[in-house]
Amino acid sequence: MSDVASLTVEQVPSRRDFLHALAAVGTVLVAGRLGTLDVFAQDAAAAGAVINAYVAIAPSGKVTLQCAHSEMGQGITTTFAAVIADELEADWSQCEVVYSPAAPAYRHPVYNWQFTGNAESIRSYHALIRKMGAAAREMLIAAAAVRLQVPAAELVARSGTVQHPPSGRWVGYGPIAQEAAQQPVPASPRVKPESEWRLVGGGRSLPRRDVPAKVEGSAVFGIDVKVARMAHAAVMSAPTIATKIDSVDDAAARKMPGVLAVVPLDGVVAVVAEHYWQARLALEQLKVSWRATAAPLDDAALEATYRAAFDKSTGWAQAETHGDSAAALAAAKHLVEVEYFSPWLSHAPMEPMNATVSVTDAGVEVWAPTQGMQMTQIVLAGALKIPPEKVTVHRTYLGGGFGRRLLADFVLQAALCSKAVGRPVKLIWSREEDIRQDWYRPAFLDRIRAALGPDGLPTAVHHRLVSPTILAPVSPTPVKPGTVDALAVEDIVASPYAIPNRRVDYHMLEVPIPTMVLRTTGHGPNNFAMESLLDELAHAAGQDPYQYRRRLVAHDSAALAVLDRAAELAQWGKAPAGRHQGIAFADCFGAYLCQVVELSMVDGAIKLHKIVSVADPGRVLDRVNAASLIEGGVVWGLSAALYSAITFDKGHTRETNFDAYRVVTLPDTPELVTDFLENRNAIGGLGEVGPVCVPAALCNALFAATGVRQRRLPLASAKVFTEYGKIFG
Amino acid sequence: MTKFAFTLNGAPAEVDVDPSTPLLWVLRDHLGLTGTKFGCGIAQCGACTVHVDGQAVRSCSYTIDSVQDAKVTTIEGLTRAGPHPLQQAWIAQQVPQCGYCQPGMIMAAAALLAERPKPTAADIEASITNICRCGTYARIKQAILAAAG
């Protein structure tokens, strides 16, 4: 589906020196109003002098900060801007945040690709945007030196002013912004030492800029967009996977009130009408005949495909090897051989996929809740045969993303509808369509062999992992079949543990089902496998699971500190009678994470008491926001552990809405205790960290409580429920 | 197409739509109030929660013909008398992450508080069943307890 994967490395734009590109950014700010609710509209005239790609300052002193990333609940539009504002020494109350355009200046500094995801919006951009803020600060100081006729070395920037302490004179940023913009761009701007951070870090939190509008109901999500002359579209996709349209009888549908057009697309038929419900009613009048292009799938056949892969000699690639695991396993006196399974999952963000697109001769305008702004440009440009620069992407708030909105399939559907009717079209997927047309997180099946040494610690661990790709559809460079999917093997490669012999083999399974990355990437399923395995090994060795892990990270004081703090907060080993604890650890997204789940069993059902999370992401820029992300992530992890699964029957998913695709709600959420350490050297991510250790910690606690080892998720599939969840049984 | 008249956030409203149109889409598409959100269409998620004659209702599954002459309140109407304690608590506790489910959550919580001004944690667990994919439940509970005072 994606044209991106077919781009060669040479075609992907080469990396540029961002600071030197800043001189040419006059065109970066574009005027654009988002219908009548212009939360993130850029107003070039009002923004004033463009100092660099990220900073503009108006004569009034108002600072406009560009956020390269999409706001989907991670608080990025506040924190990203605060990092820049801190280096800039701006007055935060004078700062306004806007979404940047989809443009080269805002691309990921290493991948040279603009997207929001992989818990790396801050950690990948942090150094760059600090330099942007610092560069702007130095240019303001240089301009103030001229204005005040004093040496720049005597000037101090603070809170939106440049001050000259010897004389007491000062000048606000506003009056010198134009002159600052003319200054030479400093080659090596000096970022502040952390001791001088005022807005971020140091336990501080800023009230999120987007929260009041989200509480009032005025925040504009993609589904809320209104543009002049806008029509609405609803779609019907094939009832089974890998199925094409044979023919469409739209005579009755076209007669329905408000209908403008019936537009057959790729595997999907759209109805465009004046109002959304009119489009939905007309959909019901369509008579479509479908043609399956693959044999109907079911769970048994799919799982058989996974299992058959283990016996194949081709298609396997080595992801990692240290030492000689074959020899260590052969020599082992105590061998453990287990298999762990994580199911297919659907992204199911609260806001279903939607996009508003206007296709005209002048170009294409998109208003969408997208994580894939550049992907959107590339896909629409390819399909409409226009240059990518002619696709203007206006981003809205996102009602969750979790990776799904990295793709542009739903945007393309809207674009083709707009082309068909000659008007802007807002296309909305029903929840059923959102699940049916998902690119699922595929099931993971990991066969593991581990050997224990005389001290009970593992001498060797060999993973053989089978999964369809999760990286290919979102990668700007091609991912070849038969190779290692770098995201799929996360958590089992680069283990934080001192296990001398390690090997990871990966088989990229080909299936006729669209698959892609979902929040937690490979860490989700693989941490469940690895941390459950470690629990099995600890028990086999007769050792406490917390102490077992301490021994395996004894070489890493930061990892030890996270383990110890979690054990302390959880009062590990001191749970009241009848309560049981499970522990798990991860090195994920640049953060260490340890989680402890405490539960008891009541008439065979789980009663969750408390979940402790301790994370070390290097630096916590916003304490409240970081805690929210971890806690919300815990709930995501609980959903994966307890309920969520996409299952297949006769070529279609059984689950099409939240009645069957179950997720955790408030009654299932226990007490959450969260803490942070900041010992790691580099800044790590948080957005996908919270869920990672929950499934293993929960199942490890369950083992402690019941003596039964769960090696397949979700627990609902084994009829293991919480007290509340029994109603789903 | 049929005309329907009702009171919306204290003011008269009238629309001319197919009688099967859910109240949700009347509010969003015909009356321009997009605070009430579409999440599932089958009354499972609660993102579409409004008040009809003081009761919390999932408007995706409530057709327009059910609100003839009724009093409807949406999230936009909650602050007619000034900032609502729930909205203030939601901001103080920094409850929302993506925020998409929050109008429905707040409307469900408002209905709970109207019926039970001092809910216990158990009361909240029993009555707030809206789905939040960002998982903000812990803060939601704290905010409701804080707003109840």
Side-chain angles (χ1 to χ4, degrees):
Chain A
M1 153 268 148
S2 155
D3 294 320
V4 174
S6 64
L7 290 176
T8 62
V9 171
E10 290 71 31
Q11 287 173 307
V12 173
S14 61
R15 183 179 177 177
R16 275 183 281 244
D17 179 338
F18 289 101
L19 286 180
H20 289 296
L22 300 180
V25 292
T27 53
V28 158
L29 290 183
V30 296
R33 313 290 285 183
L34 191 68
T36 57
L37 296 159
D38 47 78
V39 177
F40 279 130
Q42 302 256 16
D43 187 335
V50 177
I51 317 274
N52 64 39
Y54 286 88
V55 179
I57 302 180
S60 64
K62 186 187 80 170
V63 176
T64 300
L65 300 166
Q66 302 280 332
C67 184
H69 288 298
S70 303
E71 179 62 72
M72 48 186 178
Q74 78 285 50
I76 195 66
T77 47
T78 298
T79 307
F80 192 95
V83 169
I84 304 171
D86 210 333
E87 293 294 339
L88 177 60
E89 294 286 10
D91 174 353
W92 181 238
S93 71
Q94 294 292 301
C95 291
E96 218 172 80
V97 187
V98 295
Y99 272 144
S100 78
Y106 307 102
R107 291 184 189 160
H108 189 291
V110 173
Y111 309 149
N112 197 32
W113 179 248
Q114 193 178 355
F115 72 98
T116 297
N118 206 37
E120 60 173 305
S121 296
I122 287 289
R123 64 189 164 121
S124 294
Y125 283 68
H126 193 230
L128 169 69
I129 61 178
R130 287 181 75 192
K131 279 197 218 148
M132 293 293 177
R137 181 189 77 233
E138 291 181 3
M139 289 157 80
L140 284 156
I141 287 175
V146 172
R147 179 71 79 92
L148 298 176
Q149 290 293 290
V150 297
E154 292 178 9
L155 293 170
V156 171
R158 258 322 265 282
S159 205
T161 64
V162 182
Q163 301 164 5
H164 186 238
S167 66
R169 291 152 68 215
W170 59 273
V171 61
Y173 284 2
I176 54 171
Q178 278 294 350
E179 291 123 73
Q182 321 292 348
Q183 295 295 317
V185 176
S188 309
R190 179 194 154 271
V191 296
K192 298 196 296 189
E194 285 181 41
S195 54
E196 290 176 30
W197 286 0
R198 297 178 226 291
L199 296 176
V200 297
R204 280 174 285 266
S205 291
L206 293 171
R208 270 178 49 179
R209 290 299 182 88
D210 51 333
V211 159
K214 288 175 174 177
V215 155
E216 278 172 22
S218 60
V220 178
F221 296 84
I223 204 173
D224 303 323
V225 165
K226 257 196 276 283
V227 298
R229 298 183 59 240
M230 186 175 78
H232 293 80
V235 305
M236 169 196 292
S237 64
T240 46
I241 309 256
T243 297
K244 301 253 175 243
I245 299 171
D246 226 2
S247 65
V248 180
D249 174 358
D250 61 7
R254 276 189 291 111
K255 290 198 191 81
M256 295 287 288
V259 171
L260 299 169
V262 175
V263 187
L265 300 168
D266 183 12
V268 156
V269 185
V271 173
V272 187
E274 292 293 346
H275 295 286
Y276 177 68
W277 195 251
Q278 291 175 325
R280 286 285 297 268
L281 288 175
L283 266 186
E284 290 165 20
Q285 300 302 319
L286 283 175
K287 295 182 183 56
V288 185
S289 62
W290 305 96
R291 181 171 38 90
T293 61
L297 297 157
D298 60 43
D299 296 325
L302 260 177
E303 194 160 326
T305 313
Y306 277 72
R307 293 185 181 286
F310 287 105
D311 297 322
K312 287 206 164 92
S313 56
T314 56
W316 285 92
Q318 188 176 88
E320 185 183 81
T321 185
H322 293 281
D324 187 344
S325 34
L329 289 164
K333 291 198 165 53
H334 192 149
L335 201 61
V336 172
E337 294 191 63
V338 290
E339 159 183 301
Y340 279 86
F341 175 86
S342 288
W344 294 75
L345 292 180
S346 182
H347 297 78
M350 281 316 300
E351 180 191 15
M353 295 307 118
N354 65 83
T356 304
V357 184
S358 175
V359 176
T360 65
D361 292 331
V364 177
E365 256 190 298
V366 173
W367 297 263
T370 180
Q371 297 173 247
M373 28 303 208
Q374 193 174 351
M375 174 76 83
T376 297
Q377 290 177 311
I378 299 280
V379 167
L380 264 55
L384 300 171
K385 311 225 187 315
I386 59 176
E389 309 82 68
K390 290 239 171 219
V391 179
T392 302
V393 179
H394 305 287
R395 288 177 281 154
T396 63
Y397 287 119
L398 283 61
F402 314 124
R404 183 58 179 90
R405 300 195 217 262
L406 287 167
L407 298 184
D409 53 334
F410 51 95
V411 190
L412 180 57
Q413 288 178 2
L416 295 173
C417 285
S418 173
K419 195 167 172 207
V421 300
R423 283 166 61 175
V425 170
K426 176 158 72 179
L427 184 140
I428 302 172
W429 286 0
S430 65
R431 176 59 58 190
E432 290 80 4
E433 288 301 333
D434 187 276
I435 292 183
R436 256 204 291 270
Q437 295 187 65
D438 200 0
W439 288 53
Y440 308 99
R441 200 290 303 280
F444 277 51
L445 184 55
D446 188 2
R447 275 196 194 158
I448 317 173
R449 299 173 74 222
L452 294 185
D455 60 358
L457 296 180
T459 58
V461 178
H462 180 192
H463 294 266
R464 298 185 77 207
L465 174 67
V466 176
S467 86
T469 183
I470 55 175
L471 174 59
V474 299
S475 174
T477 53
V479 175
K480 295 195 189 74
T483 64
V484 174
D485 181 311
L487 293 186
V489 295
E490 288 189 304
D491 219 88
I492 53 179
V493 299
S495 169
Y497 298 122
I499 300 170
N501 302 288
R502 302 191 306 274
R503 184 166 155 170
V504 178
D505 295 320
Y506 177 74
H507 183 100
M508 190 184 293
L509 194 66
E510 305 280 325
V511 293
I513 306 170
T515 59
M516 73 175 294
V517 68
L518 174 146
R519 188 184 193 193
T520 69
T521 69
H523 285 288
N526 293 334
N527 190 272
F528 168 59
M530 185 61 192
E531 289 297 299
S532 297
L533 169 77
L534 263 195
D535 204 65
E536 295 205 53
L537 298 180
H539 281 280
Q543 297 181 21
D544 173 278
Y546 156 56
Q547 295 297 341
Y548 199 73
R549 285 173 175 78
R550 289 195 94 256
R551 290 187 185 102
L552 290 170
V553 299
H555 58 284
D556 186 332
S557 58
L560 265 178
V562 167
L563 272 169
D564 290 342
R565 181 67 179 140
E568 179 190 5
L569 282 173
Q571 296 191 286
W572 179 265
K574 303 193 191 82
R579 296 196 186 188
H580 306 272
Q581 296 171 323
I583 190 167
F585 179 80
D587 180 5
C588 57
F589 305 103
Y592 284 141
L593 174 73
C594 183
Q595 288 172 312
V596 177
V597 171
E598 185 171 302
L599 55 80
S600 55
M601 301 304 289
V602 179
D603 293 328
I606 297 169
K607 185 175 172 58
L608 289 167
H609 293 286
K610 187 165 67 167
I611 299 180
V612 168
S613 305
V614 175
D616 183 342
R619 289 296 175 272
V620 175
L621 296 182
D622 188 306
R623 186 63 172 75
V624 168
N625 193 52
S628 288
L629 283 175
I630 293 294
E631 290 164 4
V634 169
V635 173
W636 184 274
L638 272 179
S639 288
L642 290 172
Y643 301 130
S644 305
I646 288 289
T647 62
F648 297 91
D649 181 44
K650 300 191 187 62
H652 62 87
T653 69
R654 284 193 186 81
E655 301 77 15
T656 59
N657 208 316
F658 287 120
D659 52 351
Y661 190 70
R662 288 287 178 193
V663 298
V664 161
T665 51
L666 193 149
D668 263 329
T669 306
E671 179 193 354
L672 302 178
V673 174
T674 305
D675 199 11
F676 294 95
L677 299 174
E678 294 181 272
N679 297 315
R680 292 193 82 161
N681 292 326
I683 191 161
L686 281 168
E688 300 188 51
V689 172
V692 171
C693 293
V694 169
L698 173 55
C699 289
N700 293 343
L702 202 53
F703 178 79
T706 65
V708 177
R709 180 66 61 185
Q710 299 292 342
R711 299 199 182 94
R712 290 180 72 97
L713 294 180
L715 292 176
S717 67
K719 300 272 183 260
V720 176
F721 295 104
T722 60
E723 291 179 298
Y724 178 76
K726 279 198 279 201
I727 60 175
F728 307 142
Chain B
M1 300 263 276
T2 313
K3 284 192 169 55
F4 297 95
F6 55 101
T7 307
L8 176 60
N9 296 333
E14 193 182 82
V15 291
D16 191 3
V17 295
D18 187 292
S20 76
T21 311
L23 174 59
L24 169 66
W25 294 107
V26 170
L27 294 169
R28 291 183 55 82
D29 281 355
H30 297 270
L31 296 169
L33 296 177
T34 55
T36 308
K37 303 301 187 198
F38 172 59
C40 72
I42 59 168
Q44 284 289 311
C45 77
C48 64
T49 305
V50 299
H51 298 165
V52 176
D53 292 331
Q55 301 295 310
V57 154
R58 292 190 173 176
S59 62
C60 70
S61 302
Y62 217 72
T63 50
I64 186 64
D65 54 7
S66 316
V67 299
Q68 178 69 24
D69 300 325
K71 285 194 177 57
V72 176
T73 308
T74 67
I75 185 73
E76 292 91 346
L78 206 65
T79 49
R80 268 187 308 129
H84 194 283
L86 280 169
Q87 288 169 312
Q88 291 176 306
W90 247 244
I91 293 172
Q93 303 275 340
Q94 296 281 284
V95 174
Q97 288 185 28
C98 87
Y100 190 80
C101 77
Q102 301 296 344
M105 283 289 179
I106 291 169
M107 295 306 281
L112 169 65
L113 289 185
E115 195 202 326
R116 202 168 283 238
K118 298 265 189 231
T120 61
D123 292 332
I124 296 169
E125 285 156 28
S127 62
I128 304 296
T129 58
N130 296 34
I131 296 175
C132 170
R133 288 292 273 155
C134 298
T136 64
Y137 304 120
R139 279 176 205 262
I140 288 170
K141 205 193 282 188
Q142 286 165 27
I144 295 174
L145 291 170

Coordinates of all heavy atoms in Angstrom, one line a residue, chain A residues 234-236 247-257 259 262 269-271 277-289, chain B residues 18 20:
Chain A
A234 N -18.6 8.2 4.0 CA -18.6 7.0 4.8 C -18.1 5.8 3.9 O -18.4 5.9 2.7 CB -19.9 6.6 5.4
V235 N -17.5 4.8 4.4 CA -17.0 3.7 3.6 C -17.5 2.4 4.1 O -17.7 2.2 5.2 CB -15.5 3.7 3.4 CG1 -14.9 5.1 3.0 CG2 -14.8 3.3 4.7
M236 N -17.5 1.5 3.1 CA -17.8 0.1 3.4 C -16.6 -0.7 2.8 O -16.3 -0.6 1.6 CB -19.1 -0.4 2.7 CG -19.3 -1.9 2.7 SD -20.5 -2.4 1.6 CE -22.0 -1.7 2.3
S247 N -18.0 -6.0 -8.3 CA -18.9 -5.1 -8.9 C -19.8 -4.4 -7.9 O -19.9 -4.9 -6.8 CB -19.9 -5.8 -9.9 OG -20.7 -6.7 -9.2
V248 N -20.2 -3.2 -8.2 CA -21.0 -2.3 -7.3 C -22.3 -1.9 -8.0 O -22.2 -1.3 -9.1 CB -20.2 -1.1 -6.9 CG1 -21.1 -0.2 -5.9 CG2 -18.9 -1.4 -6.3
D249 N -23.4 -2.3 -7.4 CA -24.7 -1.8 -7.9 C -25.1 -0.6 -6.9 O -25.5 -0.8 -5.8 CB -25.7 -2.9 -7.8 CG -27.1 -2.4 -8.2 OD1 -27.3 -1.2 -8.5 OD2 -28.1 -3.2 -8.2
D250 N -24.9 0.6 -7.4 CA -25.2 1.8 -6.6 C -26.5 2.5 -6.9 O -26.7 3.6 -6.4 CB -24.0 2.7 -6.6 CG -23.7 3.2 -8.0 OD1 -24.6 3.0 -8.9 OD2 -22.7 3.9 -8.3
A251 N -27.3 1.9 -7.7 CA -28.5 2.6 -8.2 C -29.4 3.1 -7.0 O -29.8 4.3 -6.9 CB -29.4 1.7 -9.1
A252 N -29.6 2.2 -6.0 CA -30.5 2.6 -4.9 C -29.7 3.6 -4.0 O -30.3 4.6 -3.5 CB -30.8 1.4 -4.1
A253 N -28.4 3.4 -3.8 CA -27.7 4.3 -2.9 C -27.7 5.7 -3.5 O -27.8 6.7 -2.7 CB -26.2 3.8 -2.8
R254 N -27.5 5.8 -4.8 CA -27.4 7.2 -5.4 C -28.7 8.0 -5.2 O -28.7 9.2 -5.3 CB -26.9 7.1 -6.8 CG -25.4 7.0 -6.9 CD -24.9 7.1 -8.4 NE -25.2 6.0 -9.2 CZ -26.1 6.0 -10.2 NH1 -26.7 7.2 -10.5 NH2 -26.3 5.0 -10.9
K255 N -29.8 7.3 -5.0 CA -31.1 8.0 -4.9 C -31.4 8.5 -3.5 O -32.3 9.2 -3.3 CB -32.2 7.0 -5.3 CG -32.3 6.6 -6.8 CD -33.7 6.1 -7.1 CE -33.8 5.4 -8.5 NZ -33.2 4.0 -8.5
M256 N -30.5 8.1 -2.6 CA -30.8 8.4 -1.2 C -30.5 9.9 -1.0 O -29.7 10.5 -1.6 CB -29.8 7.6 -0.3 CG -30.1 6.1 -0.3 SD -31.6 5.7 0.6 CE -31.1 6.0 2.3
P257 N -31.3 10.5 0.0 CA -31.1 11.9 0.2 C -29.7 12.4 0.5 O -29.0 11.7 1.3 CB -32.0 12.2 1.5 CG -32.9 11.0 1.6 CD -32.2 9.9 0.9
V259 N -27.0 12.3 -1.2 CA -25.9 11.6 -1.8 C -25.4 12.4 -3.0 O -26.1 12.8 -3.9 CB -26.3 10.2 -2.2 CG1 -25.2 9.5 -3.0 CG2 -26.6 9.4 -1.0
V262 N -21.0 7.8 -5.5 CA -20.6 6.6 -4.9 C -19.2 6.3 -5.6 O -19.1 6.4 -6.8 CB -21.5 5.4 -5.3 CG1 -21.0 4.1 -4.8 CG2 -22.9 5.7 -4.6
V269 N -15.7 0.7 -0.8 CA -16.6 1.6 -1.6 C -17.0 2.8 -0.7 O -17.4 2.6 0.5 CB -17.9 0.9 -2.0 CG1 -18.7 1.8 -2.9 CG2 -17.6 -0.4 -2.7
A270 N -16.9 4.0 -1.2 CA -17.2 5.2 -0.4 C -18.5 5.8 -0.9 O -18.7 5.7 -2.1 CB -16.1 6.2 -0.5
V271 N -19.3 6.3 0.0 CA -20.4 7.1 -0.4 C -20.2 8.5 0.1 O -19.8 8.7 1.3 CB -21.7 6.6 0.2 CG1 -22.9 7.6 -0.1 CG2 -22.1 5.2 -0.3
W277 N -24.5 11.2 8.3 CA -25.4 10.1 8.5 C -26.1 9.8 7.2 O -26.5 8.6 7.0 CB -26.5 10.5 9.6 CG -27.2 9.3 10.0 CD1 -28.5 9.0 9.8 CD2 -26.7 8.2 10.7 NE1 -28.8 7.8 10.3 CE2 -27.7 7.2 10.9 CE3 -25.4 7.9 11.3 CZ2 -27.6 6.0 11.6 CZ3 -25.2 6.7 11.9 CH2 -26.3 5.8 12.1
Q278 N -26.3 10.7 6.3 CA -26.8 10.4 5.0 C -25.9 9.5 4.2 O -26.4 8.5 3.6 CB -27.0 11.7 4.2 CG -28.1 12.7 4.7 CD -28.1 14.0 4.0 OE1 -27.1 14.5 3.5 NE2 -29.3 14.5 3.8
A279 N -24.6 9.7 4.4 CA -23.7 8.7 3.7 C -23.8 7.3 4.3 O -23.8 6.3 3.6 CB -22.2 9.3 3.9
R280 N -24.0 7.3 5.6 CA -24.1 6.0 6.3 C -25.4 5.3 5.9 O -25.4 4.0 5.6 CB -24.1 6.2 7.8 CG -22.8 6.5 8.5 CD -21.9 5.3 8.5 NE -22.4 4.2 9.4 CZ -22.2 4.1 10.7 NH1 -21.3 4.9 11.3 NH2 -22.7 3.1 11.4
L281 N -26.5 6.0 5.8 CA -27.7 5.4 5.3 C -27.6 4.9 3.9 O -28.1 3.8 3.6 CB -28.9 6.4 5.4 CG -29.4 6.7 6.9 CD1 -30.4 7.8 6.9 CD2 -29.9 5.5 7.6
A282 N -27.0 5.7 3.1 CA -26.8 5.3 1.7 C -25.9 4.0 1.5 O -26.1 3.2 0.6 CB -26.3 6.4 0.9
L283 N -24.9 3.9 2.4 CA -24.1 2.7 2.4 C -24.9 1.4 2.5 O -24.6 0.4 1.8 CB -23.1 2.7 3.6 CG -21.7 3.3 3.4 CD1 -20.9 3.1 4.7 CD2 -20.9 2.8 2.2
E284 N -25.9 1.5 3.3 CA -26.7 0.3 3.5 C -27.5 -0.1 2.2 O -27.9 -1.3 2.1 CB -27.7 0.5 4.6 CG -27.1 0.6 6.0 CD -28.0 1.2 7.0 OE1 -29.3 1.2 6.8 OE2 -27.5 1.7 8.1
Q285 N -27.6 0.8 1.3 CA -28.3 0.5 0.0 C -27.4 0.0 -1.1 O -27.9 -0.3 -2.2 CB -29.1 1.8 -0.4 CG -30.1 2.3 0.5 CD -31.1 1.3 0.9 OE1 -31.6 0.6 0.0 NE2 -31.5 1.2 2.2
L286 N -26.1 0.0 -0.8 CA -25.2 -0.5 -1.8 C -25.3 -2.0 -1.9 O -25.4 -2.7 -1.0 CB -23.8 -0.2 -1.4 CG -23.3 1.2 -1.6 CD1 -21.8 1.4 -1.1 CD2 -23.3 1.6 -3.1
K287 N -25.2 -2.5 -3.2 CA -25.1 -3.9 -3.4 C -23.7 -4.2 -4.0 O -23.5 -3.8 -5.1 CB -26.2 -4.4 -4.3 CG -27.6 -4.3 -3.8 CD -28.6 -4.8 -4.7 CE -30.1 -4.6 -4.3 NZ -30.4 -3.2 -4.0
V288 N -22.8 -4.8 -3.2 CA -21.5 -5.0 -3.6 C -21.2 -6.5 -3.7 O -21.5 -7.2 -2.8 CB -20.5 -4.3 -2.7 CG1 -19.0 -4.4 -3.2 CG2 -20.8 -2.9 -2.4
S289 N -20.6 -6.9 -4.8 CA -20.1 -8.3 -4.8 C -18.6 -8.3 -4.7 O -17.9 -7.5 -5.4 CB -20.6 -9.1 -6.1 OG -20.1 -8.5 -7.2
Chain B
D18 N -33.5 13.1 8.8 CA -34.1 11.8 8.8 C -34.3 11.4 10.3 O -33.4 11.6 11.1 CB -33.1 10.8 8.1 CG -33.8 9.5 7.9 OD1 -33.9 8.8 9.0 OD2 -34.0 9.1 6.8
S20 N -34.1 8.7 11.7 CA -33.2 7.7 12.3 C -31.9 8.3 12.6 O -31.0 7.6 13.2 CB -33.0 6.6 11.2 OG -32.1 7.1 10.2

